[in-house]
Amino acid sequence: MTTHITIKQVRSALKRWGKFWQSREYGKGFKRSSISDSSGRPTGGVMGADAMSVPQEIELITQLIAALRPECIRAIRARYLMSGTLAEAAKLVGFDSKRSAEFWLVKAERSLLVEFSTNLNSE
């Protein structure tokens, strides 16, 4: 049976992906090592980045995004990972204008729509 994915579902998945990675980037994630590692004394309860668990859905989306063109990746980062308006985020990631970022974002979302459909139908 063929499963049809909508652009709305793709955007919802990208929002979940963005929220997951935002929480890791802004200090709510895991430290690479503790201060006591340099002193040789172990500390309890501190997990390293190597022990971080990434949900399967987030890992799949990350892999699909990594296969996109660099411009598409930057547009996704600007829209789903960065705070502020798309125009502000677009300038920060190197786009000339908001319009340019929107063009690459639509291209990225459509590419992911095809990839999501392919992955779901192959399972």
Side-chain angles (χ1 to χ4, degrees):
M1 184 173 141
T2 305
T3 305
H4 295 286
I5 302 294
T6 65
I7 196 70
K8 187 175 181 178
Q9 290 170 314
V10 170
R11 289 177 178 151
S12 176
L14 285 170
K15 285 177 188 173
R16 287 190 304 275
W17 174 85
K19 285 181 182 181
F20 176 84
W21 288 117
Q22 264 184 340
S23 69
R24 298 313 185 267
E25 285 184 1
Y26 296 126
K28 297 176 191 163
F30 296 85
K31 297 192 293 185
R32 182 75 180 142
S33 62
S34 68
I35 294 172
S36 65
D37 284 346
S38 60
S39 67
R41 291 189 335 250
T43 60
V46 178
M47 295 178 68
D50 299 333
M52 184 172 70
S53 169
V54 178
Q56 186 176 359
E57 176 195 26
I58 302 299
E59 183 61 36
L60 173 64
I61 295 169
T62 302
Q63 290 173 359
L64 293 176
I65 290 171
L68 296 173
R69 291 180 55 140
E71 296 88 351
C72 293
I73 295 170
R74 288 189 329 201
I76 287 173
R77 284 191 59 80
R79 171 66 179 92
Y80 294 102
L81 282 178
M82 301 178 82
S83 58
T85 65
L86 181 59
E88 294 166 349
K91 294 285 184 189
L92 290 173
V93 296
F95 286 108
D96 295 334
S97 65
K98 176 184 173 188
R99 188 176 175 111
S100 177
E102 288 172 338
F103 170 83
W104 287 106
L105 181 61
V106 168
K107 189 167 183 65
E109 289 172 342
R110 288 185 179 167
S111 296
L112 289 173
L113 178 66
V114 170
E115 291 298 323
F116 283 168
S117 296
T118 303
N119 277 313
L120 277 179
N121 291 328
S122 66
E123 291 178 352

